[in-house]
Amino acid sequence: MTARTLYDKIWDDHVVHQADDGTCLLYIDRHLVHEVTSPQAFEGLRMTGRKVRAPEKTIAVPDHNVPTTAGRDTHIDNEESRIQVEALDKNARDFGINYYPVSDIRQGIVHIVGPEQGWTLPGMTVVCGDSHTATHGAFGALAHGIGTSEVEHVLATQTLIQKKSKNMKVEITGSLRPGVTAKDITLSVIGATGTAGGTGYVIEYCGQAIRELSMEGRMTVCNMAIEGGARAGLIAPDEKTFAYVMGRPHAPKGAKWEAALAYWKTLFTDDGAHFDKVVTIRGEDIAPVVTWGTSPEDVLPITGTVPSASDFTGGKVEAAQRSLDYMGLTPGMKLTDIKIDTVFIGSCTNGRIEDLRAAAAILKGKKIKDGMRAMVVPGSGLVRAQAEEEGLAQIFIDAGFEWRLAGCSMCLAMNPDQLSPGERCAATSNRNFEGRQGRGGRTHLLSPAMAAAAAITGHLTDVREMMGETV
Amino acid sequence: MDKFTTLTGIAAPMPLVNIDTDMIIPKQFLKTIQRSGLGKNLFDEMRYTQDGAEIPDFVLNQPAYRDAQIIVAGDNFGCGSSREHAPWALLDFGIRCVISTSFADIFFNNCFKNGILPIVMPQDVVEVLMADARKGANARMTVDLEAQTVTTSDGQSFPFQVDAFRKHCLLNGLDDIGLTLEKASAIDSFEAKYSTQHPWA
């Protein structure tokens, strides 16, 4: 038999129909739904008299719009947000799909809730009307974002019309150095390949440094595959994956678990399988990184300096100048001299328990800089509860952070958590686009530990120096 | 979905690379539960000041381009969020075709679902088309989907590739869901077999 990649294997197992031109109908195992990209899809079903084909495989949770402050389960001030959340309540009820309302402790960011509840399993196809669906690839699931028309298509048919992508391998060899995290891996890869480097591909991340990551770290890596342009990111499941999945509410039990495990153990890339593109990065070469510009590819080690537009070529010259102007930065200045007034720890990229532990380890016994606005938004109600139990919440509160309820929050600023024009934020989220966190707001992407370090000093900071003090 | 056959119209030049879907339609406009009405907020933060006044330099505010139906764009157009509000906003403004060297995957898919044709061209061709677009309202570009050509105002014609199935759907204005439901029995039999092999799923 021809050697196949992990992507090839999952793809092959889900093809319902293949047309002569290669267009396939792909079966979808899990459909995750949130309030912003689904109302028009449910409305489409109503208008055509169609049903949700597999409500038991469809899971909805409000996350993008929800406030992260107390009282939100009884009232949302913003009328449009309230209407969207109420529409999801109604759609979930009317169509009989699995639902975690705002009042449920299991509510949170859809990409954190899916794995947490055991909906996401190795070898599955997972889609959601959200580009960061790539997160679920950490389990060896083929997971990607879709538009609202495709949401309606999956609701009605439990399939998606797809053409197969090409295979790309991103190998991170060796081990990471202290102070370097999954976030630094994923940003460094995008820095190396560009935001269109993965366009047309599904990426499989592999290598020792990837194997050494926890499941939380692997989710962080896969989460930002989309920022590299890839349709999806994948990591082959292993014992860490199985241990994470076992016992979760919707994970298989008993004989089904054994059958699933036997199948999951076949989910790896065969020796000699073909990759159309290969990128290799030495784990030891990765430093803690930050973004300086308004594209996730604008990545530099924290020890670097702000570039000038003339460092670039082609269309990137104009884009870099525009970024520098927008970000209010002068070429040649040290990244560690960039002053920060807001710190945001959270999002589907870095809102899991391990992320909160990493930030709390830096913050323990310290205070944030005077005048700093800092918030932690746990990725789910359960992450929040666990952080409280572990004493992390108290560390954040004692340091001067706001301790919020779960949601997407300031990652995309659809709720009241926003930057004002000119405000500069160290953010553990995934996008530094113009206006992403609020019109005129300036975003520097980094890891949770680096965000915590910046909160203390008031400027972008090499967390390794701080670890030297505390270790 | 409206059919797309041929289009002759004004092309707006937007050479900036990595124009993301947050730029195309900022998040405050995603709170709608409808598809229509987003055109006035297309490129909102590039197009208007914070108090809502038009920014005269922005290409779609210039008299020559206010009725543009085509955008010639820099690399990697439509990157970022999966929001279908981006093609909805383009369509509502009147844009039916975007030409670039590359598009982000999800945006590219979303266009086809809404009767918008995204065309990938090599860098040198995009430069010719960008130059043509810069000539303003008197220079009309023609996109012929059936023939798979883009023709500049001075008659230079360039072929483009398009997926055969997507072309068929655009030319005929077909609804994907209707087409897939014709294969309902194939889905039924796949599901029966699959649930035996993967009972945990």
Side-chain angles (χ1 to χ4, degrees), chain A residues 7 163-168 198-203 276-277:
Chain A
Y7 171 50
K163 269 205 168 163
K164 199 173 172 199
S165 303
K166 290 181 284 187
N167 279 287
M168 176 170 171
T199 302
Y201 295 93
V202 164
I203 295 175
D276 303 280
K277 186 171 179 177

Side-chain angles (χ1 to χ4, degrees), chain A residues 204-231:
Chain A
E204 181 177 345
Y205 298 95
C206 61
Q208 185 184 329
I210 298 292
R211 295 261 76 89
E212 288 176 357
L213 292 176
S214 65
M215 287 313 294
E216 285 85 350
R218 294 178 190 183
M219 284 189 254
T220 300
V221 170
C222 289
N223 172 274
M224 290 190 70
I226 184 69
E227 269 64 51
R231 173 166 295 173

Side-chain angles (χ1 to χ4, degrees), chain B residues 164-183:
Chain B
F165 173 73
R166 286 171 157 160
K167 176 180 177 179
H168 173 72
C169 289
L170 270 188
L171 284 172
N172 297 290
L174 296 176
D175 163 23
D176 277 353
I177 298 176
L179 290 173
T180 297
L181 286 174
E182 290 174 11
K183 299 193 182 77

Side-chain angles (χ1 to χ4, degrees), chain A residues 337-386:
Chain A
D337 286 342
I338 296 174
K339 290 199 164 44
I340 296 295
D341 41 45
T342 305
V343 170
F344 168 65
I345 296 177
S347 84
C348 58
T349 313
N350 282 128
R352 284 169 285 269
I353 190 69
E354 179 183 283
D355 303 312
L356 304 194
R357 288 179 190 143
I362 300 298
L363 288 165
K364 190 167 187 179
K366 302 234 169 64
K367 296 279 184 201
I368 61 173
K369 180 90 173 170
D370 281 350
M372 177 73 63
R373 169 194 184 201
M375 67 168 80
V376 184
V377 183
S380 72
L382 291 176
V383 169
R384 187 173 194 269
Q386 188 175 349

Side-chain angles (χ1 to χ4, degrees), chain A residues 439, chain B residues 40-41 44-50 52-55:
Chain A
R439 185 172 179 141
Chain B
K40 63 181 181 297
N41 303 111
D44 192 85
E45 291 177 8
M46 303 167 92
R47 197 166 146 202
Y48 306 107
T49 62
Q50 192 130 28
E54 284 191 4
I55 297 170

Side-chain angles (χ1 to χ4, degrees), chain A residues 340 342-344 410 419 423-427 437 442-444:
Chain A
I340 296 295
T342 305
V343 170
F344 168 65
M410 203 189 264
L419 295 181
E423 275 189 322
R424 191 181 293 281
C425 181
Q437 295 192 284
R442 294 160 170 168
T443 304
H444 296 278

Side-chain angles (χ1 to χ4, degrees), chain A residues 22 26 66 145 158 195 203 232 236 292 299 310 336 369 393 395 402 419:
Chain A
L26 204 65
V66 296
Q158 206 58 29
T195 49
I203 295 175
W292 58 269
V299 174
S310 61
T336 49
K369 180 90 173 170
I395 293 174
E402 295 174 50
L419 295 181

